[in-house]
Amino acid sequence: MAMELESNRSLSSRTSSYKYDDDGRLQRTGTWVTASAHIVTAVIGSGVLSLAWAVAQLGWIAGPIILMIFSFITLFTSILLTDCYRYPDPVYGTRNHSYMEMVKNILGGIQYQFCGLAQYINLVGISIGYTITASISMVAIKRSNCFHKYGHQAECHTSDYPFMIIFGIMQILLSQIPDFHELSWLSIVAAIMSFGYSCIGIGLSIAKIAGGNHGKTSLTGTIVGVDVTGQQKLWNSFQAIGNIAFAYAFSIVMIEIQDTLKSSPPENRAMKMASVTGVTVTTLFYLLCGLLGYGAFGNNAPGNFLTGFGFYEPYWLVDIGNVFIVVHLVGAYQVFAQPIFLLVESWSVKRWPDSDFIGKEYAVSIPLIGKLRLNAFRATWRTVFVIVTAVVAMILPFFNSIVGLLGAFSFWPLTVYFPTEMYLTQSKVPKFSIIWIGMKSLNAFCLIVALVAAAGSIHGIITELKTYKPFS
């Protein structure tokens, strides 16, 4: 082991002055400041839209406490992940370039398969959830203009389906971009949009509170017998926990962010600073959105605080916020769908290497864009995927329930289970030691929380399906 570490040190010193890193890849230039920015832009997304509703179910006491608990757990497990970036030694070991590669190298094949299953189910679910959210925002723009024109009491009912189809068509076109690195501009635009609509929501909440036209709040949130029944209070509280978990689920991109950091100072040290900074900024932002949103709307807070029409005026600012959401989700859908596309396509090429349908590409010139490489299999498969996610979204267009379910499914395995298990393995923590018991207890606690949140979200979907008629 000592010889191996010394060899890595020597190789690192020989290559540090060149443009290549110790593993032969291009030298990285990221710092803890850039990594902090990546974390903030990765975490703050559509999950922020449901935080006012989540706090309304939990109240002034439990709401902030649960937000802070998820923040501390996310920060703690993120710090554990930073030490697993290099293996077996956190400073001089071999780099892991992705989350799944890390799980494979540290925990082995069965755990790797479980990680892949959790990761790709989550990616498919997010694609469906983003289709729902984008269509709701498109509908909100149309309804906002209708309310402004005909008054706040006007019916202004609009179907989601045409807008889901429009969103699907946009994704079919964008999905023909063959390589993930060609989408970097989409990620930048999406990050700017997420900050934009979050800030608009916070500003409108402050204006509503300052104007004195705010809702009734309480220490325990929605009141049994007034706002909800006892059973509804229980299930909604469980679902709210899932919504908060979804807002914090960013571990899936943690390693990719760390892989942008230059090797000096050691990546784990810089990433720990970035994690503390990124999670702290995000938590402050979430507290502002959740608590100010609850203060503005009270116990009747809508599931999505920019589309639930607690804000009617200024209608143009509400419209801008929803346009930002749509633009963000157009890009974010591709960020989460591209790994699924690449997984299926790389497997297909290996399975049928001689097939022209799968492997042959055609260069097509498109005015104002340039040449685009098209492939028959890629075009067919990606189109089918987008259509399937759109159809599922039409069948289950329940924003809060779907967001809560995604949070429940992704938070425990990807944010808690794998980071703690990899840390225990990498650090060779003795069984039944205090640290081992503490990690296992955290794991068990978060599993119970995830099951509770999943149960609440599934109950919400079942309840809404009783009165909802798909495609009607």
Side-chain angles (χ1 to χ4, degrees):
M1 177 65 71
M3 291 180 64
E4 181 183 349
L5 297 181
E6 189 60 41
S7 174
N8 282 336
R9 290 191 190 98
S10 176
L11 180 60
S12 178
S13 65
R14 289 199 305 271
T15 59
S16 59
S17 60
Y18 299 94
K19 65 178 180 179
Y20 295 103
D21 269 319
D22 53 358
D23 61 351
R25 298 194 179 201
L26 288 175
Q27 195 169 49
R28 297 153 292 153
T29 58
T31 66
W32 71 270
V33 177
T34 61
S36 300
H38 286 317
I39 290 172
V40 172
T41 54
V43 181
I44 296 177
S46 62
V48 77
L49 299 170
S50 65
L51 291 180
W53 178 86
V55 174
Q57 311 313 306
L58 302 167
W60 286 120
I61 298 175
I65 289 174
I66 292 176
L67 271 167
M68 293 302 298
I69 287 174
F70 274 96
S71 172
F72 285 129
I73 292 173
T74 302
L75 178 59
F76 176 68
T77 57
S78 297
I79 289 173
L80 297 183
L81 274 178
T82 63
D83 285 333
C84 298
Y85 171 68
R86 286 186 180 268
Y87 180 77
D89 182 85
V91 177
Y92 301 108
T94 303
R95 288 163 56 198
N96 292 299
H97 302 288
S98 68
Y99 195 102
M100 288 185 65
E101 182 182 339
M102 178 188 292
V103 173
K104 184 177 183 180
N105 291 334
I106 298 177
L107 298 179
I110 295 177
Q111 299 272 44
Y112 169 71
Q113 292 171 1
F114 173 44
C115 175
L117 183 66
Q119 202 165 359
Y120 285 104
I121 287 176
N122 186 46
L123 292 175
V124 173
I126 288 174
S127 300
I128 296 167
Y130 281 2
T131 303
I132 296 170
T133 310
S135 67
I136 290 174
S137 288
M138 292 180 194
V139 167
I141 294 170
K142 187 173 181 180
R143 293 186 68 203
S144 173
N145 294 323
C146 174
F147 286 132
H148 177 71
K149 186 175 182 180
Y150 298 108
H152 299 172
Q153 304 304 318
E155 180 109 4
C156 294
H157 175 73
T158 305
S159 173
D160 294 352
Y161 299 142
F163 297 99
M164 288 186 182
I165 293 171
I166 292 170
F167 185 79
I169 291 171
M170 287 191 288
Q171 295 306 331
I172 288 172
L173 296 174
L174 285 173
S175 295
Q176 305 315 311
I177 300 173
D179 297 317
F180 186 72
H181 67 82
E182 295 177 23
L183 292 170
S184 57
W185 61 274
L186 267 179
S187 298
I188 295 170
V189 171
I192 295 171
M193 294 298 103
S194 64
F195 270 105
Y197 64 70
S198 298
C199 290
I200 287 173
I202 290 173
L204 289 172
S205 297
I206 292 173
K208 191 176 179 70
I209 294 170
N213 185 29
H214 52 81
K216 181 181 178 182
T217 65
S218 69
L219 292 177
T220 57
T222 52
I223 301 171
V224 175
V226 177
D227 304 305
V228 291
T229 65
Q231 188 179 39
Q232 286 174 329
K233 175 72 173 180
L234 179 67
W235 290 116
N236 287 350
S237 297
F238 289 168
Q239 189 176 319
I241 293 171
N243 279 238
I244 294 172
F246 177 76
Y248 275 106
F250 80 102
S251 295
I252 195 170
V253 295
M254 183 82 178
I255 302 309
E256 284 77 1
I257 293 173
Q258 189 166 351
D259 199 41
T260 66
L261 295 173
K262 55 187 179 182
S263 55
S264 180
E267 300 95 345
N268 62 334
R269 189 191 309 167
M271 197 62 186
K272 285 172 185 174
M273 293 174 63
S275 297
V276 171
T277 305
V279 174
T280 300
V281 171
T282 300
T283 300
L284 290 173
F285 214 83
Y286 281 179
L287 286 170
L288 285 173
C289 288
L291 300 184
L292 289 174
Y294 179 45
F297 297 120
N299 294 337
N300 293 320
N304 180 325
F305 80 156
L306 277 179
T307 63
F309 290 98
F311 305 120
Y312 287 96
E313 301 293 342
Y315 79 100
W316 55 268
L317 188 57
V318 176
D319 287 353
I320 291 174
N322 282 298
V323 168
F324 283 178
I325 293 172
V326 174
V327 174
H328 169 215
L329 296 181
V330 166
Y333 183 102
Q334 286 297 315
V335 170
F336 286 98
Q338 284 287 330
I340 304 171
F341 296 157
L342 297 177
L343 175 74
V344 172
E345 287 154 20
S346 60
W347 177 84
S348 300
V349 168
K350 291 177 182 177
R351 179 69 177 82
W352 296 285
D354 300 322
S355 171
D356 287 344
F357 176 72
I358 292 175
K360 191 172 182 180
E361 291 193 339
Y362 305 88
V364 178
S365 296
I366 300 177
L368 304 178
I369 296 177
K371 287 189 176 182
L372 183 65
R373 292 180 287 114
L374 293 180
N375 167 267
F377 173 72
R378 184 167 62 230
T380 304
W381 137 246
R382 295 187 180 193
T383 300
V384 169
F385 176 85
V386 173
I387 291 172
V388 169
T389 57
V391 170
V392 174
M394 290 177 183
I395 296 172
L396 302 171
F398 313 127
F399 175 75
N400 288 96
S401 298
I402 295 297
V403 166
L405 193 60
L406 290 173
F409 278 158
S410 63
F411 187 81
W412 174 72
L414 299 173
T415 304
V416 181
Y417 174 76
F418 286 116
T420 55
E421 289 298 308
M422 285 190 289
Y423 177 81
L424 292 174
T425 301
Q426 166 129 325
S427 302
K428 296 181 173 60
V429 176
K431 282 188 176 181
F432 305 110
S433 64
I434 294 176
I435 295 177
W436 188 91
I437 292 172
M439 294 286 190
K440 294 293 183 180
S441 299
L442 175 64
N443 218 325
F445 168 76
C446 290
L447 174 59
I448 292 169
V449 170
L451 292 174
V452 163
S457 299
I458 292 170
H459 180 269
I461 292 172
I462 292 171
T463 301
E464 289 174 291
L465 280 174
K466 290 179 180 177
T467 56
Y468 174 72
K469 294 180 180 180
F471 308 111
S472 60

